[in-house]
Amino acid sequence: MAGVSGKVYDAGGEDVAIRTKVNDLNVSSKRGVVEGIGPESKRPTGTSHQTGPSTPDESAPALLTKVMSQGITVDDEDQLHNSDKENMTVPAKLAGVNLQDIESSEHDGDDDFDDGDSVGNMLDRSYDLDGDFGSHAGTNMDDSHNLDADDEEEAEQRRKMDADLEMNLRRAELRHVELELKLVSAEEEVRKAKEALEKAEAEQQEMQLQAHEAWEEVGEAERLIQVEQTRREEEDAAKALAERQARAIIEADELRQQGNEAYRQGNSHHAEAYYKRAIDELESCGIVLEEPSHLTLRTNRAAALMALGHTRDALSECELVLEINPYNIRALSRAANCCIKLGDLDAAKKHVDEIGLSPDATEEDIHAASEQNQKILVASVERDRLVGNESYRRGDYSGALHWYDAAINAAADAIETDALKSVKVGLHTNRAAAHLMEGNPLPAAEDCCAALRLDSTHTKAQVRLARCLLQLGDFSEARQEASDVIARNSAELQSKNEAQNVLKDVDLLEGTMKSVGDELQKIQMTLRTGDHVDDFDASSLAKSMLDELETIMVIAPQVPDLITLKAEALRLAGKLEEALSLVSGKKAINSRRRFIEVRLQFDLGNVSACVEAGEHVRELLQMVPEFKLTLKAAMENKEDSVAEDDENIKELASLPDPEGLLILLQNASKINTCKDNGREAFVQNKHSEAAKLYGEALVLSAGAPMLEGLFLSNICACEQAMSKYADALSSAGTAVAIAPTFVKAHSRLATLYTELGMLTEAEAAYKRMLEMPLESHEEMQASANLASVSARAKNSRPVNWYKLLGIKSSASAADIKKAYRQLALVHHPDKAGRGGVSAAVAKARADMSSILFKLVGEAQRILTNPAERSKWESAQARADHQDSYLSRAHTTARSDLYADPFGDRYERYASQYADFYDEYEGFDDGGYYGV
């Protein structure tokens, strides 16, 4: 075989042996792996190739040595695992192969070689001396003889090129084998290094564990040393402290004795200093002051501090003692004294009370505690008195009463001395002044009496008693007390001046009350008899009397007689509710107040309450006939007053119009009877009889607008039930005029206007009604009716003349004229005073009759004219049609709560009956105010 250098390689047995070994390596050119080293051998983890000897027991370095010993030359001998060069002989046939010559050449994967060719297969190809393949020598020689010269030269060039390529390939493959063997050797060294590292790490951990245990032993030894040192130090400190405490106890006892001696000598400052040094000495040594001798140091120091005026510091020392022993007698006593000086009397009393509970208290201690308790009570009285006075000066009379009460209660528990007695007199007098400022003259008078029982010469209390009696209305006693103060020589000038003022106020009150009472009595008598001129104005006269009363009531606002006169003046001025609030539910002082209450209940329509109030004066009123005879005899004898032999006759003489009150009560009883009978007749549909009974009650109610309005409204209900719409309209209008605040009268008037088609007037009536104070259901019903009437008023509905005249739609002209004449006669303005009604009812009825007279005249004119009647009926039909459509449109929106004011007659009367019952239920329970 011819090489690249022209050397001839022997294809003998030695060459074949080398090629066989190389073939055994089975080097894969594609994967870069030398295979066949051993099926059982595996490369360590992390390597990309696995190599091994041809046999299981043959290592890679041994194989490489063997290969080289059989004729392979390797220039980089230091990279081989076996570096012994002496055993390596290079045959002459491989002398031209130098591995260094192929380091720079890299096999590019020539297409002439398959990826699966091994090094052994490539080495199997041998060349002869002329560069021809040995296996094809005979064939090539035969072919060369047949080629011409050019072809032979070309073939020669190709053979050289093939030989060069083949040589380069062999060099690259050998280079690859060499590197693979080096890689295997390196990985073996890495494996051994890892094993050595793991062994070293295990030894390191073991050493660390042993070092840690050794360090713990060192720490335990140090701790034991520290414990022993601490124990020795504590023993030494305890010994030193015990020695120091022993010295401190001795020194503190010496200081205590020095402090006691200084205190006995009156040197409280030095005594307190000694006690303080003793306490500090003991505490500095860690001694807890809980032994009796230690507590004595604190109580002694507290006594010294109190003597020096350091009360709060002294109290702190006592409290420290009480924390250790709550029943220490000295600490409790001295703490109580401290609290007294500090003004904390409640705490002081608590300490004193605990002395009595102490098991160590002796009789002497109990007696001392009692004396301390007396001091506390006196101090409490003085404290509360001063606080009460301050509250009085600020105008806080309620607060002043609270503190005066506390002071008086504390004084009651204290042992009475002359000083305490004087304080109690002042307390009662001051509390009386506070009661007067609060408007309570009765408890003020009681306090004044209590003060005078303690000291009858206390003129200030006597003057205040006179003022209290003045405000209670006991003028004679007030005058007597004030006169006694003025006559007393020992009285202070200020007290005498105040007594003079009391006498002046008594004279002013008595004079004003007599003049106002007489004037009000005249007004009442004039109103009953009617003996007055046309311009007589009882309301204005009553208001002037009311002004006089308001002026003098500033002096004595609680005088019962003044309150009675004020209620009477308010009644005559028309302020009935305010007047009733002054006398209703109050205890009657005299019969005059009862008289006023009876009249007020009647005026307000509360007939049952009027009769009930009259029961209290019925016995007195039974003397009215005798009183009239006595009064007549006195007038015949020209005497200014009746005889004073009979107290009842005298009392009747002082009352306003007792005869009129008797008549009023008689009328009230008759009214109740008419009311009950009228209700029964109405229920039985005897409407005419019911109207007659109500008419009688109306006459009996003359002068009481509320009752007149109520009975006129009931008469209206009866007339409406009998289809007498004109009469009902007159009664309802009159009731509204007489009693403008009577809700039911306004409701009936609005309903009548609606029934008669007078929708504009009905709308105005409902609006006036909504301006009044109504119950919630009344307001809701009135609002619904107003909305319905306002909607219908847009349809231009004419007045229902048939209903107004009380005739049918088929009535002839003669029937119309007859009905007209009857209504015109009844409702003529000149006939308004029929039936004996009061002047106010007659006037109101006259005003309503003027309107009705015109209406019935207009009805007669339209209905007696055929053309006008036909025109009116057409307008009526159109309005009915529009109302029917409007009613259907609003049916679903209308609540069942509201009654339909345009329903059929039965439903309308049912609603009237309900109203009627409501009126009389209210009448029984309070008249007008119950509706």
Side-chain angles (χ1 to χ4, degrees):
M1 177 181 295
V4 176
S5 60
K7 294 181 180 181
V8 178
Y9 291 87
D10 186 10
E14 214 172 16
D15 185 31
V16 174
I18 294 175
R19 287 199 302 269
T20 302
K21 289 294 183 178
V22 175
N23 284 337
D24 291 339
L25 293 175
N26 195 11
V27 180
S28 174
S29 61
K30 180 178 182 179
R31 294 178 299 180
V33 178
V34 178
E35 298 178 352
I37 295 176
E40 301 296 329
S41 177
K42 294 186 179 290
R43 180 183 296 241
T45 304
T47 59
S48 60
H49 302 286
Q50 293 189 5
T51 61
S54 59
T55 62
D57 298 331
E58 191 172 10
S59 63
L63 177 60
L64 181 60
T65 304
K66 185 175 182 179
V67 171
M68 297 185 66
S69 66
Q70 294 179 1
I72 300 175
T73 300
V74 180
D75 293 336
D76 297 332
E77 295 173 355
D78 56 338
Q79 296 180 6
L80 297 178
H81 295 290
N82 189 358
S83 60
D84 190 4
K85 298 181 181 180
E86 295 179 357
N87 296 326
M88 294 183 185
T89 58
V90 183
K93 56 185 176 182
L94 296 177
V97 181
N98 191 351
L99 292 179
Q100 293 179 354
D101 297 334
I102 60 174
E103 286 181 354
S104 60
S105 62
E106 297 292 335
H107 177 59
D108 295 330
D110 193 30
D111 295 336
D112 294 337
F113 297 96
D114 295 332
D115 293 336
D117 291 343
S118 63
V119 176
N121 291 335
M122 291 183 288
L123 291 177
D124 263 346
R125 297 190 185 115
S126 59
Y127 294 88
D128 57 11
L129 294 176
D130 297 329
D132 296 332
F133 289 102
S135 61
H136 300 286
T139 305
N140 291 335
M141 290 178 64
D142 291 339
D143 289 339
S144 63
H145 289 290
N146 298 326
L147 296 176
D148 54 10
D150 294 333
D151 292 337
E152 185 177 350
E153 184 179 355
E154 182 178 354
E156 182 64 25
Q157 292 177 356
R158 288 183 178 180
R159 282 193 300 270
K160 289 181 180 183
M161 183 178 297
D162 291 340
D164 293 339
L165 293 173
E166 183 69 17
M167 184 57 66
N168 290 336
L169 175 61
R170 287 191 176 189
R171 289 176 180 151
E173 290 173 347
L174 289 175
R175 177 63 175 173
H176 178 262
V177 171
E178 181 184 8
L179 293 176
E180 283 290 335
L181 294 175
K182 289 181 179 181
L183 178 61
V184 170
S185 178
E187 289 174 350
E188 180 67 16
E189 293 179 359
V190 169
R191 182 184 63 78
K192 292 179 179 180
K194 286 184 177 179
E195 292 177 353
L197 178 61
E198 291 175 356
K199 183 178 180 181
E201 288 178 348
E203 293 177 354
Q204 180 188 13
Q205 292 179 357
E206 181 66 22
M207 298 300 286
Q208 287 179 347
L209 180 60
Q210 294 176 2
H212 180 70
E213 292 175 352
W215 182 252
E216 288 183 349
E217 292 176 359
V218 171
E220 180 64 19
E222 290 179 347
R223 188 187 66 79
L224 293 175
I225 294 173
Q226 184 67 30
V227 169
E228 180 63 20
Q229 289 179 349
T230 303
R231 187 186 64 79
R232 294 178 181 179
E233 290 175 358
E234 289 177 352
E235 287 180 354
D236 296 341
K239 291 179 181 179
L241 180 62
E243 295 175 357
R244 184 181 174 189
Q245 287 179 349
R247 292 194 300 269
I249 291 172
I250 297 173
E251 184 176 355
D253 187 63
E254 295 175 356
L255 290 171
R256 180 182 61 79
Q257 294 176 2
Q258 293 176 2
N260 293 343
E261 183 64 25
Y263 189 82
R264 281 193 291 269
Q265 294 176 2
N267 193 344
S268 300
H269 181 75
H270 286 170
E272 190 275 331
Y274 286 133
Y275 294 139
K276 180 68 168 57
R277 284 177 57 193
I279 293 172
D280 292 341
E281 186 67 24
L282 292 174
E283 288 181 340
S284 65
C285 297
I287 298 176
V288 179
L289 303 185
E290 56 186 7
E291 297 294 331
S293 60
H294 302 161
L295 300 180
T296 301
L297 282 174
R298 289 196 181 277
T299 54
N300 289 351
R301 181 170 183 254
L305 287 170
M306 290 178 62
L308 294 172
H310 302 160
T311 307
R312 195 167 298 279
D313 293 336
L315 179 61
S316 299
E317 288 291 340
C318 294
E319 289 174 347
L320 291 174
V321 174
L322 293 175
E323 289 178 1
I324 304 299
N325 182 9
Y327 296 107
N328 188 291
I329 302 300
R330 289 185 178 180
L332 288 171
S333 177
R334 289 170 184 174
N337 290 333
C338 292
C339 291
I340 293 173
K341 289 186 176 181
L342 293 173
D344 191 356
L345 302 180
D346 295 334
K349 189 175 186 308
K350 180 180 177 181
H351 291 314
V352 172
D353 293 341
E354 287 175 350
I355 292 176
L357 300 176
S358 175
D360 302 329
T362 62
E363 292 184 0
E364 184 179 355
D365 294 332
I366 299 297
H367 179 70
S370 177
E371 292 180 352
Q372 276 188 318
N373 190 45
Q374 179 70 14
K375 293 179 181 178
I376 292 171
L377 290 175
V378 174
S380 298
V381 171
E382 183 63 18
R383 177 200 64 185
D384 296 341
R385 183 185 69 83
L386 293 175
V387 177
N389 292 344
E390 182 62 27
S391 298
Y392 188 92
R393 281 192 290 270
R394 294 198 311 266
D396 182 11
Y397 304 117
S398 177
L401 287 173
H402 169 75
W403 289 107
Y404 289 146
D405 291 342
I408 291 173
N409 293 334
D413 296 333
I415 299 175
E416 187 168 316
T417 61
D418 291 341
L420 183 61
K421 184 177 180 180
S422 176
V423 172
K424 291 169 69 176
V425 171
L427 286 172
H428 282 291
T429 305
N430 291 348
R431 189 167 72 172
H435 277 305
L436 282 174
M437 298 305 296
E438 286 283 291
N440 301 317
L442 183 59
E446 294 173 353
D447 269 326
C448 291
C449 292
L452 290 172
R453 283 194 295 270
L454 293 171
D455 183 6
S456 59
T457 62
H458 198 271
T459 56
K460 183 180 289 186
Q462 192 170 5
V463 169
R464 287 185 182 169
L465 177 60
R467 178 65 64 180
C468 294
L469 294 172
L470 170 66
Q471 294 199 6
L472 290 171
D474 193 349
F475 299 136
S476 60
E477 290 293 333
R479 183 180 282 108
Q480 181 64 42
E481 295 294 340
S483 300
D484 288 348
V485 172
I486 294 173
R488 186 174 297 170
N489 294 328
S490 60
E492 298 176 356
L493 180 61
Q494 182 181 358
S495 298
K496 288 186 177 183
N497 292 336
E498 189 173 350
Q500 290 285 357
N501 293 333
V502 170
L503 291 177
K504 292 178 182 179
D505 291 341
V506 169
D507 295 337
L508 176 62
L509 288 171
E510 285 184 334
T512 303
M513 288 175 60
K514 186 176 186 307
S515 62
V516 170
D518 293 344
E519 186 65 27
L520 293 175
Q521 190 171 1
K522 290 179 182 178
I523 295 173
Q524 179 63 38
M525 183 65 69
T526 303
L527 289 175
R528 186 178 70 83
T529 60
D531 186 15
H532 55 78
V533 296
D534 294 338
D535 60 349
F536 179 75
D537 189 354
S539 178
S540 298
L541 292 174
K543 287 180 180 178
S544 63
M545 297 297 102
L546 191 61
D547 292 340
E548 291 187 28
L549 291 173
E550 292 289 353
T551 301
I552 63 171
M553 287 185 75
V554 174
I555 301 173
Q558 302 295 326
V559 176
D561 289 342
L562 281 176
I563 295 174
T564 301
L565 290 174
K566 182 179 179 180
E568 189 172 352
L570 288 170
R571 171 184 170 269
L572 294 174
K575 300 178 181 181
L576 303 180
E577 294 87 351
E578 185 178 353
L580 184 62
S581 67
L582 292 177
V583 297
S584 179
K586 307 294 191 302
K587 182 179 178 180
I589 303 301
N590 51 37
S591 298
R592 185 162 190 159
R593 178 171 286 194
R594 288 293 186 189
F595 275 34
I596 297 302
E597 184 178 0
V598 169
R599 284 195 169 94
L600 285 170
Q601 296 289 6
F602 186 84
D603 292 342
L604 290 169
N606 305 326
V607 182
S608 298
C610 171
V611 175
E612 182 181 354
E615 292 294 331
H616 298 282
V617 293
R618 185 173 294 279
E619 183 178 354
L620 181 62
L621 290 175
Q622 291 176 355
M623 303 291 297
V624 169
E626 183 180 350
F627 168 71
K628 290 175 64 177
L629 294 176
T630 304
L631 186 61
K632 182 178 180 181
M635 292 178 65
E636 290 176 353
N637 296 331
K638 297 182 179 180
E639 297 177 359
D640 294 336
S641 61
V642 299
E644 298 182 359
D645 297 337
D646 193 334
E647 291 294 333
N648 290 333
I649 298 298
K650 181 181 177 181
E651 187 173 5
L652 285 173
S654 64
L655 298 175
D657 191 16
E659 183 179 0
L661 186 65
L662 179 62
I663 296 172
L664 184 146
L665 286 173
Q666 293 172 352
N667 290 341
S669 299
K670 293 178 182 179
I671 288 171
N672 271 339
T673 302
C674 293
K675 174 199 67 173
D676 296 336
N677 294 337
R679 171 188 290 180
E680 185 177 356
F682 191 91
V683 172
Q684 296 175 359
N685 292 329
K686 298 177 181 179
H687 302 125
S688 179
E689 181 180 348
K692 182 179 179 181
L693 290 170
Y694 294 144
E696 294 177 6
L698 176 63
V699 175
L700 294 172
S701 303
M706 301 303 177
L707 281 175
E708 290 175 331
L710 177 62
F711 289 118
L712 282 169
S713 179
N714 288 345
I715 292 171
C716 171
C718 296
E719 292 168 342
Q720 190 174 3
M722 294 184 292
S723 298
K724 295 182 177 180
Y725 286 95
D727 297 341
L729 190 61
S730 175
S731 298
T734 305
V736 169
I738 289 295
T741 59
F742 190 15
V743 176
K744 290 294 181 181
H746 286 274
S747 178
R748 293 198 187 283
L749 181 61
T751 302
L752 284 170
Y753 279 139
T754 304
E755 288 288 330
L756 293 172
M758 303 171 68
L759 301 181
T760 302
E761 290 80 359
E763 188 175 6
Y766 279 124
K767 288 180 179 180
R768 286 194 300 271
M769 183 177 173
L770 287 172
E771 293 174 357
M772 301 168 62
L774 303 175
E775 298 290 338
S776 58
H777 68 280
E778 292 175 337
E779 184 175 0
M780 293 172 66
Q781 185 172 356
S783 299
N785 291 344
L786 175 60
S788 179
V789 168
S790 299
R792 293 185 63 196
K794 299 176 183 179
N795 299 334
S796 302
R797 169 177 289 277
V799 180
N800 193 332
W801 302 120
Y802 290 144
K803 282 189 177 183
L804 182 64
L805 295 179
I807 59 176
K808 298 180 180 180
S809 59
S810 60
S812 62
D815 295 335
I816 294 171
K817 290 180 180 180
K818 180 180 178 182
Y820 163 71
R821 284 194 293 271
Q822 290 176 350
L823 292 174
L825 182 63
V826 172
H827 295 289
H828 194 280
D830 295 339
K831 303 289 185 178
R834 65 185 184 277
V837 295
S838 65
V841 172
K843 183 178 182 303
R845 183 178 285 173
D847 295 338
M848 197 65 193
S849 295
S850 299
I851 299 173
L852 282 173
F853 191 76
K854 295 178 181 178
L855 287 174
V856 296
E858 182 68 12
Q860 186 265 345
R861 182 189 68 79
I862 291 175
L863 296 180
T864 54
N865 188 328
E868 292 289 339
R869 183 174 182 177
S870 176
K871 182 179 178 182
W872 172 80
E873 288 178 345
S874 297
Q876 186 79 3
R878 285 194 302 272
D880 289 341
H881 176 73
Q882 292 174 346
D883 288 346
S884 176
Y885 175 77
L886 182 64
S887 178
R888 288 195 304 270
H890 292 277
T891 297
T892 56
R894 188 182 302 123
S895 172
D896 294 337
L897 177 64
Y898 309 119
D900 184 2
F902 314 111
D904 59 31
R905 183 168 183 170
Y906 173 79
E907 293 177 347
R908 181 176 69 252
Y909 288 159
S911 176
Q912 292 167 2
Y913 295 154
D915 292 343
F916 175 81
Y917 290 133
D918 288 344
E919 288 173 10
Y920 274 110
E921 288 174 3
F923 182 79
D924 290 338
D925 296 337
Y928 168 72
Y929 291 99
V931 278

